[in-house]
């Protein structure tokens, strides 16, 4: 089947051919101009409005000067960030959030992180961003007495992707550097201002009017697990287990420890269902030592029946090697511990065992059993570099026990045993006796300043808002992205507080504010990248001219051109690498 990107590119090509043919034959009006897939709609209306708005010139110049200072800081930061990201992708192509080229497009349904359900909010935020951005350019043109030839909207095929203001080229060229620079910075300044306003409203009264429904919020049930078989799935809210009230995941875990194999589960919609617990493998590394695949059901460990995670862990407590039986009667015997894809060459464990580069299962550490990766990580967090501990491990199926001098974990400052590619669970498999994937409803609301969050001071956390739509790949342990209060996740929240009278309307308002702020923040950052034809490229040129003009050299124009061209081409190459590098290098 053709990929989404291929369909998009085919559609753009078809549009370009048809639109160019219509334009060549004079079927398009003068105000519509086509250049490949780009269509621009031109108008001279609105000039009088800009002239009236531009009358308090001193105010607008002060506004633009403040914005210029912010823009210069962001430009430097974006330069460093883009270069760092490009270098990181060269070394580790999988390290970036954008793994496919289409993910760089802010098109719901094409970008895997932007669902179609929020398309109206995204389009609204984009239109607001484009209007205030280009309106800022137009306004400062009139403040600095630069005439405007036309203004309008730019589209890729039929999708609005930008607005524009066309200053009179000769007047712009003859304007001084200061007015030119303020004009180029005005659009970014307005985008950042809209971001602050949108998030201030969101973090304040709007999120303050949203509460979390008590219970465990189910984002989905893992395939083949007891919860899935019992009909507990996406959008469910678990309020009770085995007669005990549960308000969060910790309550659920505690209730399951003492529960029988058959567990009555109460849901927020008033229904009760029974879950027949069984130990299901929910993930497994390919060709791992245990040899079980996802979906296998473990019925016994070392001959003793088990159907719970706690029973599984207890059975492995004093056994470095165990035999597992599955529901189809097959058995497998393997070491049970923390699995890593390889011993780090020249690392502490390699130095002790004489091995390096091979998979390893660590079964004991400092005399204590490590039945899974969590246990090993917990023990390592309590050690210091330079300590010598006894480690029992299986390398190539053979048991070895060595005294290992720990290295230093530069991220935590604790001890390092010298393995890479640690896999969660036991010997590369993860098991679950219930099978829900909890949605972090309370966590997302807290990040937005609600129910124990930062409230209005969450404005200090605007930058983290950038990654909420990519939370599943940006934050370890999070399975879901936050696209707003949409789809089944609306059932996890309730309207309350000062705007509670709006009912479901408070979620619509929250979505509009979230995406308007998010889009404008991204527009501002992107336009600050110092490369042409972005605003950052123009500001780079005028700023470079200002610096070079003070140097005691004769070829100032040549030096300015060399600096701006070098920086611009470097940024352009880095951006291309960021968009296309992951898919090309990973392939």
């Amino acid at each position: 089947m053709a990929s989404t990107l291929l369909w998009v590119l085919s559609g753009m090509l078809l549009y370009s051919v048809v639109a160019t043919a219509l334009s060549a034959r004079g079927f398009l009006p003068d105000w519509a101009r086509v250049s490949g897939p780009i269509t621009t709609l031109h108008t001279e209306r609105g000039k009088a409005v800009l002239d009236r708005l531009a009358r308090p010139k001193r105010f607008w110049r002060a506004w633009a000067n403040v914005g210029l200072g912010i823009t210069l800081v962001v430009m430097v930061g974006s330069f460093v960030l883009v270069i760092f990201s490009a270098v990181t992708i060269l070394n580790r192509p999988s390290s970036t959030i954008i793994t496919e080229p289409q993910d760089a497009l802010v098109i719901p349904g094409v970008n895997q992180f932007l669902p179609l359900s929020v398309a109206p909010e995204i389009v609204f935020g984009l239109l607001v961003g484009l209007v205030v951005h280009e309106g800022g350019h137009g306004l400062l043109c009139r403040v600095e007495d630069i005439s405007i030839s036309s203004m309008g909207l730019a589209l890729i095929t039929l999708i609005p992707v930008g607005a524009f203001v066309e200053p009179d080229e000769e007047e712009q060229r003859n304007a001084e550097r200061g007015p030119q620079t303020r004009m180029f910075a005005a659009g970014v300044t307005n985008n950042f201002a809209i971001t602050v306003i949108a998030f201030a409203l969101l973090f304040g009264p709007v999120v303050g009017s949203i509460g979390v429904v008590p219970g465990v919020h189910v984002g989905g049930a893992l395939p083949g697990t007891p919860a899935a078989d019992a009909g507990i799935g996406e959008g469910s809210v678990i309020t009770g287990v085995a007669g005990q009230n549960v308000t969060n995941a910790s309550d659920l875990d505690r209730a399951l420890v003492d529960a029988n194999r058959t567990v009555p589960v109460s849901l927020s919609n008033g229904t009760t269902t029974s879950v027949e617990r069984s130990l299901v493998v929910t993930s497994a590394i390919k060709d791992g030592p245990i040899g079980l695949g996802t979906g296998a059901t473990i019925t016994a460990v070392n001959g003793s029946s088990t159907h719970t995670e706690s029973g599984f862990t207890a059975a492995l407590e004093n056994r470095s090697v165990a035999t597992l039986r599955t529901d189809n009667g097959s058995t497998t015997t393997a070491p049970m511990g923390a699995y890593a894809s390889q011993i780090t060459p020249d690392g502490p464990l390699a130095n002790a065992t004489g091995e390096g580069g091979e998979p390893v299962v660590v079964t004991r550490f400092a005399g204590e059993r490590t039945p899974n990766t969590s246990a090993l990580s917990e023990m390592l967090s309590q050690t210091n570099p330079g300590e010598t501990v006894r480690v029992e491990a299986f390398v190539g199926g053979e048991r070895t026990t060595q005294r290992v001098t720990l290295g230093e974990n530069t991220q935590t400052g604790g001890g390092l045993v010298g393995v890479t590619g640690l896999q969660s669970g036991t010997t590369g498999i993860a098991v679950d006796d219930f099978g829900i994937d909890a949605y972090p409803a309370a966590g997302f609301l807290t990040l937005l300043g609600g129910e124990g969050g930062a409230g209005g001071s969450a404005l200090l956390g605007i930058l983290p808002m950038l990654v909420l739509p990519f939370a599943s790949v940006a934050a370890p342990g999070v399975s879901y992205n936050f696209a707003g209060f949409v789809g089944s996740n609306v059932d996890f929240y309730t309207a309350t507080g000062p705007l509670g009278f709006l009912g479901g309307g408070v979620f619509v308002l929250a979505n509009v504010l979230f995406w308007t702020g998010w889009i404008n923040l991204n527009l501002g950052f992107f336009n600050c990248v110092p490369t042409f034809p972005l605003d950052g490229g123009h500001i780079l040129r005028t700023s470079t001219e200002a610096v070079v003009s003070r140097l005691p050299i004769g070829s100032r124009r040549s030096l300015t051109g060399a600096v701006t061209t070098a920086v611009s081409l470097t940024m352009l190459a880095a951006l291309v690498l960021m968009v296309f590098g992951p898919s090309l290098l990973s392939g």
Side-chain angles (χ1 to χ4, degrees):
M1 176 179 278
S3 67
T4 302
L5 180 60
L6 181 60
W7 283 111
V8 171
L9 293 177
S10 299
M12 291 173 63
L13 178 61
L14 178 62
Y15 175 89
S16 301
V17 172
V18 173
T20 300
L22 292 175
S23 178
R25 288 168 173 75
F27 290 115
L28 296 182
D30 293 338
W31 47 264
R33 303 171 194 173
V34 175
S35 178
I38 304 296
T39 300
T40 54
L41 309 179
H42 298 251
T43 182
E44 294 187 13
R45 295 181 180 180
K47 289 184 180 181
V49 175
L50 286 178
D51 287 339
R52 286 195 295 271
L53 291 175
R55 286 171 184 168
K57 294 186 177 182
R58 181 175 297 179
F59 169 79
W60 290 118
R61 287 191 179 109
W63 170 259
N65 283 331
V66 172
L68 176 58
I70 296 173
T71 301
L72 289 173
V73 172
V74 176
M75 280 177 60
V76 173
S78 65
F79 177 84
V80 174
L81 180 61
V82 169
I83 293 296
F84 176 79
S85 299
V87 172
T88 303
I89 289 171
L90 279 175
N91 295 325
R92 291 187 295 123
S94 61
S95 64
T96 178
I97 291 174
I98 299 177
T99 57
E100 297 294 337
Q102 61 263 33
D103 293 338
L105 302 174
V106 188
I107 303 177
V110 175
N111 186 314
Q112 64 173 315
F113 301 105
L114 307 181
L116 282 172
S117 58
V118 292
E121 291 88 346
I122 290 176
V123 170
F124 176 82
L126 183 59
L127 290 175
V128 169
L130 297 177
V131 169
V132 300
H133 184 98
E134 294 303 324
H137 289 322
L139 186 61
L140 264 293
C141 279
R142 300 308 302 131
V143 168
E144 303 298 349
D145 297 321
I146 300 173
S147 299
I148 296 175
S149 298
S150 70
M151 45 192 172
L153 193 65
L155 307 93
I156 291 184
T157 62
L158 301 177
I159 302 172
V161 295
F164 62 88
V165 170
E166 284 186 314
D168 183 276
E169 292 185 9
E170 184 176 353
E171 292 186 18
Q172 178 184 323
R173 207 166 34 242
N174 294 332
E176 296 180 356
R177 281 192 297 270
Q180 286 191 53
T181 307
R182 284 192 292 268
M183 186 268 289
F184 288 125
V188 171
T189 303
N190 288 355
N191 287 136
F192 288 151
I194 291 296
T195 298
V196 171
I197 293 171
F199 282 155
L201 292 173
L202 176 64
F203 295 154
V206 176
V207 168
S209 299
I210 297 175
V212 178
V213 174
V216 178
H217 312 101
V218 182
L222 302 176
T225 59
D229 294 340
I232 300 174
E234 181 180 354
S236 299
V237 179
I238 299 173
T239 57
V241 172
Q244 300 183 44
N245 292 330
V246 296
T247 58
N248 52 49
S250 297
D251 289 346
L252 176 63
D253 291 339
R254 284 191 293 268
L256 288 175
V257 168
D258 300 322
N260 296 325
R261 182 168 187 177
T262 301
V263 184
V265 177
S266 302
L267 303 178
S268 62
N269 61 7
T271 64
T272 300
T273 185
S274 292
V275 176
E276 187 75 12
R277 299 163 74 189
S278 58
L279 199 61
V280 178
V281 177
T282 55
S283 67
I285 59 172
K286 186 178 181 180
D287 300 324
I290 291 182
L292 295 180
T294 301
T297 300
I298 298 172
T299 58
V301 180
N302 296 324
S304 299
S305 298
T306 184
H307 56 268
T308 65
E309 288 182 70
S310 58
F312 180 72
T313 302
L316 301 180
E317 186 174 356
N318 296 312
R319 301 287 293 270
S320 297
V321 178
T323 298
L324 309 181
R325 186 174 70 239
T326 63
D327 58 348
N328 63 8
S330 65
T331 61
T332 179
T333 301
M336 298 290 159
Y339 177 86
S341 59
Q342 68 171 353
I343 299 174
T344 306
D346 300 324
L349 189 58
N351 294 335
T353 63
E355 302 287 347
E358 295 188 32
V360 60
V361 180
V362 179
T363 51
R364 289 185 183 273
F365 182 85
E368 300 290 333
R369 268 289 283 134
T370 54
N372 49 50
T373 298
S374 296
L376 176 61
S377 298
E378 176 65 24
M379 293 178 190
L380 280 170
S381 68
Q382 300 174 19
T383 62
N384 296 306
E387 289 186 24
T388 300
V389 298
R390 185 173 292 276
V391 175
E392 178 189 78
F394 284 75
V395 183
E398 298 295 326
R399 186 198 309 258
T400 178
T401 302
Q402 301 289 339
R403 295 188 64 82
V404 176
T405 301
L406 301 179
E408 181 180 2
N409 187 323
T410 56
Q411 296 181 341
T412 65
L416 186 72
V417 75
V419 295
T420 57
L422 272 170
Q423 303 293 319
S424 60
T426 297
T427 316
I429 67 168
V431 296
D432 199 313
D433 61 27
F434 197 72
I436 66 165
D437 191 7
Y439 183 89
F444 283 142
L445 190 63
T446 299
L447 283 175
L448 295 173
E451 293 204 349
S457 63
L459 283 174
L460 299 175
I462 280 180
L463 288 182
M465 297 299 103
L466 275 173
V467 300
L468 276 180
F470 321 111
S472 64
V473 292
V478 177
S479 303
Y480 296 93
N481 301 313
F482 182 75
F485 302 94
V486 294
S488 62
N489 79 24
V490 174
D491 296 332
F492 304 148
Y493 301 98
T494 181
T496 183
L499 300 180
F501 66 91
L502 294 175
V506 73
F507 301 125
V508 175
L509 182 57
N511 293 338
V512 169
L513 291 173
F514 174 79
W515 285 109
T516 298
W518 190 86
I519 290 288
N520 276 269
L521 186 60
N522 278 274
L523 280 175
F525 281 144
F526 180 68
N527 276 283
C528 282
V529 176
T531 187
F532 291 99
L534 302 178
D535 295 331
H538 293 287
I539 297 172
L540 172 67
R541 177 182 57 79
T542 57
S543 301
T544 304
E545 286 178 351
V547 173
V548 171
S549 66
R550 292 171 170 79
L551 298 178
I553 59 176
S555 54
R556 294 188 180 96
R557 183 182 295 274
S558 298
L559 179 58
T560 298
V563 171
T564 55
T565 300
V567 173
S568 185
L569 289 178
T570 300
M571 288 291 93
L572 186 60
L575 288 172
V576 170
L577 181 60
M578 288 174 61
V579 173
F580 296 100
S583 58
L584 294 176
L585 296 174
S586 298

